[in-house]
mmCIF file of all heavy atoms in Angstrom:
data_model
loop_
_atom_site.group_PDB
_atom_site.id
_atom_site.type_symbol
_atom_site.label_atom_id
_atom_site.label_comp_id
_atom_site.label_asym_id
_atom_site.label_seq_id
_atom_site.Cartn_x
_atom_site.Cartn_y
_atom_site.Cartn_z
ATOM 1 N N ALA A 248 0.842 -1.205 0.000
ATOM 2 C CA ALA A 248 0.000 0.000 0.000
ATOM 3 C C ALA A 248 0.879 1.259 0.000
ATOM 4 O O ALA A 248 0.561 2.238 -0.690
ATOM 5 C CB ALA A 248 -0.941 0.002 1.205
ATOM 6 N N ASP A 249 1.979 1.235 0.748
ATOM 7 C CA ASP A 249 2.897 2.377 0.759
ATOM 8 C C ASP A 249 3.587 2.533 -0.599
ATOM 9 O O ASP A 249 3.805 3.652 -1.070
ATOM 10 C CB ASP A 249 3.944 2.222 1.861
ATOM 11 C CG ASP A 249 3.354 2.366 3.256
ATOM 12 O OD1 ASP A 249 2.292 3.005 3.399
ATOM 13 O OD2 ASP A 249 3.968 1.834 4.209
ATOM 14 N N ALA A 250 3.915 1.413 -1.232
ATOM 15 C CA ALA A 250 4.521 1.464 -2.562
ATOM 16 C C ALA A 250 3.545 2.071 -3.563
ATOM 17 O O ALA A 250 3.927 2.901 -4.399
ATOM 18 C CB ALA A 250 4.954 0.062 -3.007
ATOM 19 N N GLU A 251 2.282 1.680 -3.481
ATOM 20 C CA GLU A 251 1.267 2.250 -4.373
ATOM 21 C C GLU A 251 1.091 3.743 -4.114
ATOM 22 O O GLU A 251 0.939 4.525 -5.053
ATOM 23 C CB GLU A 251 -0.058 1.530 -4.205
ATOM 24 C CG GLU A 251 -0.065 0.148 -4.804
ATOM 25 C CD GLU A 251 -1.419 -0.549 -4.684
ATOM 26 O OE1 GLU A 251 -2.335 0.000 -4.028
ATOM 27 O OE2 GLU A 251 -1.543 -1.639 -5.254
ATOM 28 N N SER A 252 1.113 4.123 -2.860
ATOM 29 C CA SER A 252 0.989 5.539 -2.513
ATOM 30 C C SER A 252 2.166 6.341 -3.071
ATOM 31 O O SER A 252 1.982 7.425 -3.638
ATOM 32 C CB SER A 252 0.908 5.691 -0.993
ATOM 33 O OG SER A 252 0.856 7.039 -0.638
ATOM 34 N N ALA A 253 3.368 5.812 -2.922
ATOM 35 C CA ALA A 253 4.556 6.497 -3.450
ATOM 36 C C ALA A 253 4.481 6.590 -4.971
ATOM 37 O O ALA A 253 4.737 7.656 -5.546
ATOM 38 C CB ALA A 253 5.823 5.760 -3.016
ATOM 39 N N ALA A 254 4.113 5.499 -5.633
ATOM 40 C CA ALA A 254 4.011 5.512 -7.099
ATOM 41 C C ALA A 254 2.970 6.532 -7.561
ATOM 42 O O ALA A 254 3.198 7.269 -8.523
ATOM 43 C CB ALA A 254 3.667 4.112 -7.610
ATOM 44 N N SER A 255 1.855 6.601 -6.861
ATOM 45 C CA SER A 255 0.816 7.581 -7.204
ATOM 46 C C SER A 255 1.332 9.003 -7.039
ATOM 47 O O SER A 255 1.037 9.877 -7.866
ATOM 48 C CB SER A 255 -0.418 7.374 -6.334
ATOM 49 O OG SER A 255 -1.025 6.148 -6.619
ATOM 50 N N TRP A 256 2.090 9.238 -5.971
ATOM 51 C CA TRP A 256 2.627 10.583 -5.737
ATOM 52 C C TRP A 256 3.558 10.991 -6.878
ATOM 53 O O TRP A 256 3.424 12.077 -7.437
ATOM 54 C CB TRP A 256 3.381 10.634 -4.401
ATOM 55 C CG TRP A 256 3.838 12.018 -4.062
ATOM 56 C CD1 TRP A 256 3.117 12.982 -3.416
ATOM 57 C CD2 TRP A 256 5.102 12.614 -4.386
ATOM 58 N NE1 TRP A 256 3.869 14.143 -3.321
ATOM 59 C CE2 TRP A 256 5.084 13.936 -3.905
ATOM 60 C CE3 TRP A 256 6.242 12.152 -5.029
ATOM 61 C CZ2 TRP A 256 6.162 14.798 -4.041
ATOM 62 C CZ3 TRP A 256 7.326 13.018 -5.177
ATOM 63 C CH2 TRP A 256 7.276 14.320 -4.688
ATOM 64 N N TYR A 257 4.489 10.112 -7.241
ATOM 65 C CA TYR A 257 5.420 10.439 -8.327
ATOM 66 C C TYR A 257 4.678 10.629 -9.649
ATOM 67 O O TYR A 257 5.003 11.541 -10.415
ATOM 68 C CB TYR A 257 6.487 9.347 -8.474
ATOM 69 C CG TYR A 257 7.518 9.385 -7.377
ATOM 70 C CD1 TYR A 257 7.541 8.410 -6.378
ATOM 71 C CD2 TYR A 257 8.486 10.386 -7.320
ATOM 72 C CE1 TYR A 257 8.495 8.439 -5.372
ATOM 73 C CE2 TYR A 257 9.430 10.424 -6.312
ATOM 74 C CZ TYR A 257 9.438 9.448 -5.344
ATOM 75 O OH TYR A 257 10.368 9.484 -4.348
ATOM 76 N N ARG A 258 3.696 9.787 -9.939
ATOM 77 C CA ARG A 258 2.906 9.927 -11.168
ATOM 78 C C ARG A 258 2.203 11.279 -11.198
ATOM 79 O O ARG A 258 2.211 11.979 -12.213
ATOM 80 C CB ARG A 258 1.883 8.798 -11.268
ATOM 81 C CG ARG A 258 0.987 8.895 -12.507
ATOM 82 C CD ARG A 258 -0.274 8.088 -12.377
ATOM 83 N NE ARG A 258 -1.015 8.529 -11.207
ATOM 84 C CZ ARG A 258 -1.805 7.736 -10.483
ATOM 85 N NH1 ARG A 258 -1.970 6.471 -10.784
ATOM 86 N NH2 ARG A 258 -2.447 8.211 -9.444
ATOM 87 N N ASP A 259 1.613 11.653 -10.062
ATOM 88 C CA ASP A 259 0.878 12.918 -9.998
ATOM 89 C C ASP A 259 1.807 14.119 -10.109
ATOM 90 O O ASP A 259 1.448 15.137 -10.698
ATOM 91 C CB ASP A 259 0.049 12.992 -8.715
ATOM 92 C CG ASP A 259 -1.070 11.956 -8.684
ATOM 93 O OD1 ASP A 259 -1.393 11.364 -9.737
ATOM 94 O OD2 ASP A 259 -1.601 11.721 -7.576
ATOM 95 N N VAL A 260 2.991 14.019 -9.548
ATOM 96 C CA VAL A 260 3.944 15.139 -9.585
ATOM 97 C C VAL A 260 4.550 15.288 -10.983
ATOM 98 O O VAL A 260 4.605 16.388 -11.528
ATOM 99 C CB VAL A 260 5.054 14.962 -8.519
ATOM 100 C CG1 VAL A 260 6.213 15.932 -8.759
ATOM 101 C CG2 VAL A 260 4.477 15.169 -7.132
ATOM 102 N N PHE A 261 5.022 14.197 -11.564
ATOM 103 C CA PHE A 261 5.763 14.287 -12.816
ATOM 104 C C PHE A 261 4.900 14.113 -14.058
ATOM 105 O O PHE A 261 5.283 14.583 -15.130
ATOM 106 C CB PHE A 261 6.902 13.262 -12.831
ATOM 107 C CG PHE A 261 8.026 13.631 -11.908
ATOM 108 C CD1 PHE A 261 8.124 13.062 -10.659
ATOM 109 C CD2 PHE A 261 8.975 14.576 -12.285
ATOM 110 C CE1 PHE A 261 9.150 13.406 -9.794
ATOM 111 C CE2 PHE A 261 10.005 14.928 -11.435
ATOM 112 C CZ PHE A 261 10.088 14.341 -10.185
ATOM 113 N N GLY A 262 3.783 13.439 -13.960
ATOM 114 C CA GLY A 262 3.008 13.154 -15.169
ATOM 115 C C GLY A 262 3.693 12.075 -15.987
ATOM 116 O O GLY A 262 3.140 11.006 -16.187
ATOM 117 N N ASP A 263 4.899 12.345 -16.464
ATOM 118 C CA ASP A 263 5.705 11.350 -17.176
ATOM 119 C C ASP A 263 6.479 10.542 -16.140
ATOM 120 O O ASP A 263 7.614 10.884 -15.775
ATOM 121 C CB ASP A 263 6.686 12.018 -18.141
ATOM 122 C CG ASP A 263 6.010 12.552 -19.380
ATOM 123 O OD1 ASP A 263 5.041 11.926 -19.844
ATOM 124 O OD2 ASP A 263 6.454 13.591 -19.889
ATOM 125 N N TYR A 264 5.853 9.492 -15.657
ATOM 126 C CA TYR A 264 6.454 8.644 -14.622
ATOM 127 C C TYR A 264 6.307 7.194 -15.046
ATOM 128 O O TYR A 264 5.238 6.779 -15.512
ATOM 129 C CB TYR A 264 5.754 8.860 -13.268
ATOM 130 C CG TYR A 264 6.230 7.935 -12.173
ATOM 131 C CD1 TYR A 264 7.507 8.059 -11.655
ATOM 132 C CD2 TYR A 264 5.403 6.942 -11.676
ATOM 133 C CE1 TYR A 264 7.955 7.210 -10.648
ATOM 134 C CE2 TYR A 264 5.835 6.087 -10.678
ATOM 135 C CZ TYR A 264 7.115 6.226 -10.164
ATOM 136 O OH TYR A 264 7.548 5.375 -9.178
ATOM 137 N N TYR A 265 7.381 6.439 -14.907
ATOM 138 C CA TYR A 265 7.413 5.042 -15.321
ATOM 139 C C TYR A 265 7.964 4.185 -14.190
ATOM 140 O O TYR A 265 8.881 4.599 -13.481
ATOM 141 C CB TYR A 265 8.320 4.863 -16.541
ATOM 142 C CG TYR A 265 7.843 5.628 -17.745
ATOM 143 C CD1 TYR A 265 8.130 6.987 -17.884
ATOM 144 C CD2 TYR A 265 7.100 5.006 -18.735
ATOM 145 C CE1 TYR A 265 7.682 7.708 -18.983
ATOM 146 C CE2 TYR A 265 6.645 5.711 -19.840
ATOM 147 C CZ TYR A 265 6.945 7.060 -19.954
ATOM 148 O OH TYR A 265 6.494 7.756 -21.039
ATOM 149 N N ILE A 266 7.429 2.993 -14.057
ATOM 150 C CA ILE A 266 7.966 2.039 -13.097
ATOM 151 C C ILE A 266 9.066 1.256 -13.806
ATOM 152 O O ILE A 266 8.847 0.669 -14.858
ATOM 153 C CB ILE A 266 6.874 1.103 -12.552
ATOM 154 C CG1 ILE A 266 5.890 1.926 -11.698
ATOM 155 C CG2 ILE A 266 7.498 -0.035 -11.737
ATOM 156 C CD1 ILE A 266 4.737 1.127 -11.129
ATOM 157 N N GLU A 267 10.241 1.293 -13.208
ATOM 158 C CA GLU A 267 11.421 0.642 -13.774
ATOM 159 C C GLU A 267 11.462 -0.834 -13.424
ATOM 160 O O GLU A 267 11.282 -1.200 -12.267
ATOM 161 C CB GLU A 267 12.685 1.290 -13.181
ATOM 162 C CG GLU A 267 13.486 2.082 -14.147
ATOM 163 C CD GLU A 267 14.744 2.676 -13.535
ATOM 164 O OE1 GLU A 267 14.642 3.677 -12.814
ATOM 165 O OE2 GLU A 267 15.837 2.135 -13.805
ATOM 166 N N LEU A 268 11.742 -1.633 -14.432
ATOM 167 C CA LEU A 268 11.980 -3.060 -14.228
ATOM 168 C C LEU A 268 13.388 -3.372 -14.692
ATOM 169 O O LEU A 268 13.797 -2.934 -15.763
ATOM 170 C CB LEU A 268 10.989 -3.907 -15.031
ATOM 171 C CG LEU A 268 9.512 -3.735 -14.710
ATOM 172 C CD1 LEU A 268 8.679 -4.564 -15.672
ATOM 173 C CD2 LEU A 268 9.228 -4.139 -13.271
ATOM 174 N N GLN A 269 14.122 -4.112 -13.884
ATOM 175 C CA GLN A 269 15.465 -4.532 -14.248
ATOM 176 C C GLN A 269 15.582 -6.039 -14.062
ATOM 177 O O GLN A 269 15.084 -6.573 -13.081
ATOM 178 C CB GLN A 269 16.512 -3.817 -13.380
ATOM 179 C CG GLN A 269 16.530 -2.325 -13.585
ATOM 180 C CD GLN A 269 17.593 -1.632 -12.754
ATOM 181 O OE1 GLN A 269 18.131 -2.182 -11.803
ATOM 182 N NE2 GLN A 269 17.887 -0.392 -13.123
ATOM 183 N N ARG A 270 16.223 -6.709 -15.013
ATOM 184 C CA ARG A 270 16.419 -8.155 -14.939
ATOM 185 C C ARG A 270 17.905 -8.424 -14.746
ATOM 186 O O ARG A 270 18.633 -8.629 -15.696
ATOM 187 C CB ARG A 270 15.936 -8.835 -16.212
ATOM 188 C CG ARG A 270 14.476 -8.689 -16.509
ATOM 189 C CD ARG A 270 13.531 -9.717 -15.932
ATOM 190 N NE ARG A 270 13.978 -11.044 -15.739
ATOM 191 C CZ ARG A 270 13.670 -12.078 -16.515
ATOM 192 N NH1 ARG A 270 12.947 -11.918 -17.593
ATOM 193 N NH2 ARG A 270 14.072 -13.283 -16.207
ATOM 194 N N HIS A 271 18.346 -8.348 -13.531
ATOM 195 C CA HIS A 271 19.715 -8.703 -13.159
ATOM 196 C C HIS A 271 19.629 -9.996 -12.360
ATOM 197 O O HIS A 271 18.590 -10.304 -11.785
ATOM 198 C CB HIS A 271 20.336 -7.616 -12.263
ATOM 199 C CG HIS A 271 20.480 -6.296 -12.930
ATOM 200 N ND1 HIS A 271 21.445 -6.026 -13.864
ATOM 201 C CD2 HIS A 271 19.772 -5.147 -12.802
ATOM 202 C CE1 HIS A 271 21.336 -4.786 -14.282
ATOM 203 N NE2 HIS A 271 20.325 -4.220 -13.655
ATOM 204 N N PRO A 272 20.710 -10.713 -12.253
ATOM 205 C CA PRO A 272 20.677 -11.896 -11.376
ATOM 206 C C PRO A 272 20.767 -11.483 -9.903
ATOM 207 O O PRO A 272 21.702 -11.826 -9.195
ATOM 208 C CB PRO A 272 21.891 -12.704 -11.840
ATOM 209 C CG PRO A 272 22.815 -11.696 -12.425
ATOM 210 C CD PRO A 272 21.962 -10.610 -12.998
ATOM 211 N N ILE A 273 19.792 -10.699 -9.484
ATOM 212 C CA ILE A 273 19.720 -10.215 -8.098
ATOM 213 C C ILE A 273 18.391 -10.694 -7.533
ATOM 214 O O ILE A 273 17.327 -10.359 -8.059
ATOM 215 C CB ILE A 273 19.820 -8.673 -8.039
ATOM 216 C CG1 ILE A 273 21.161 -8.208 -8.613
ATOM 217 C CG2 ILE A 273 19.632 -8.175 -6.611
ATOM 218 C CD1 ILE A 273 21.274 -6.708 -8.772
ATOM 219 N N ALA A 274 18.461 -11.479 -6.471
ATOM 220 C CA ALA A 274 17.257 -12.101 -5.907
ATOM 221 C C ALA A 274 16.192 -11.075 -5.536
ATOM 222 O O ALA A 274 15.003 -11.301 -5.779
ATOM 223 C CB ALA A 274 17.630 -12.955 -4.695
ATOM 224 N N ASP A 275 16.601 -9.941 -4.953
ATOM 225 C CA ASP A 275 15.624 -8.923 -4.554
ATOM 226 C C ASP A 275 14.826 -8.400 -5.747
ATOM 227 O O ASP A 275 13.614 -8.197 -5.655
ATOM 228 C CB ASP A 275 16.307 -7.761 -3.833
ATOM 229 C CG ASP A 275 16.688 -8.096 -2.407
ATOM 230 O OD1 ASP A 275 16.222 -9.129 -1.879
ATOM 231 O OD2 ASP A 275 17.449 -7.310 -1.813
ATOM 232 N N LEU A 276 15.493 -8.178 -6.865
ATOM 233 C CA LEU A 276 14.780 -7.691 -8.051
ATOM 234 C C LEU A 276 13.839 -8.748 -8.604
ATOM 235 O O LEU A 276 12.721 -8.434 -9.022
ATOM 236 C CB LEU A 276 15.771 -7.259 -9.138
ATOM 237 C CG LEU A 276 16.467 -5.929 -8.910
ATOM 238 C CD1 LEU A 276 17.521 -5.692 -9.986
ATOM 239 C CD2 LEU A 276 15.476 -4.785 -8.879
ATOM 240 N N GLU A 277 14.267 -9.988 -8.602
ATOM 241 C CA GLU A 277 13.404 -11.064 -9.090
ATOM 242 C C GLU A 277 12.146 -11.191 -8.233
ATOM 243 O O GLU A 277 11.073 -11.498 -8.743
ATOM 244 C CB GLU A 277 14.171 -12.393 -9.149
ATOM 245 C CG GLU A 277 15.293 -12.399 -10.174
ATOM 246 C CD GLU A 277 14.831 -12.070 -11.591
ATOM 247 O OE1 GLU A 277 13.777 -12.575 -12.018
ATOM 248 O OE2 GLU A 277 15.524 -11.283 -12.262
ATOM 249 N N ARG A 278 12.284 -10.930 -6.934
ATOM 250 C CA ARG A 278 11.116 -10.964 -6.049
ATOM 251 C C ARG A 278 10.240 -9.737 -6.243
ATOM 252 O O ARG A 278 9.017 -9.815 -6.172
ATOM 253 C CB ARG A 278 11.564 -11.030 -4.583
ATOM 254 C CG ARG A 278 12.034 -12.389 -4.161
ATOM 255 C CD ARG A 278 12.173 -12.524 -2.656
ATOM 256 N NE ARG A 278 12.100 -11.277 -1.925
ATOM 257 C CZ ARG A 278 13.016 -10.854 -1.056
ATOM 258 N NH1 ARG A 278 14.057 -11.584 -0.793
ATOM 259 N NH2 ARG A 278 12.863 -9.709 -0.437
ATOM 260 N N ALA A 279 10.845 -8.589 -6.476
ATOM 261 C CA ALA A 279 10.092 -7.331 -6.562
ATOM 262 C C ALA A 279 9.405 -7.130 -7.909
ATOM 263 O O ALA A 279 8.304 -6.560 -7.969
ATOM 264 C CB ALA A 279 11.013 -6.145 -6.278
#
């Protein structure tokens, strides 16, 4: 819920806002 709130804030502030996805062999990124 906090992540959604933060994403909404950035979207509302910048308008041009994108959620970044990265595919590295990093377990945290694969989970996120």
Side-chain angles (χ1 to χ4, degrees):
D249 290 336
E251 287 182 354
S252 177
S255 294
W256 185 86
Y257 286 108
R258 178 199 58 210
D259 294 346
V260 167
F261 288 99
D263 285 325
Y264 175 69
Y265 298 82
I266 293 178
E267 249 182 283
L268 299 176
Q269 296 182 343
R270 298 271 329 256
H271 297 285
I273 299 172
D275 284 347
L276 284 174
E277 294 303 317
R278 283 193 348 234

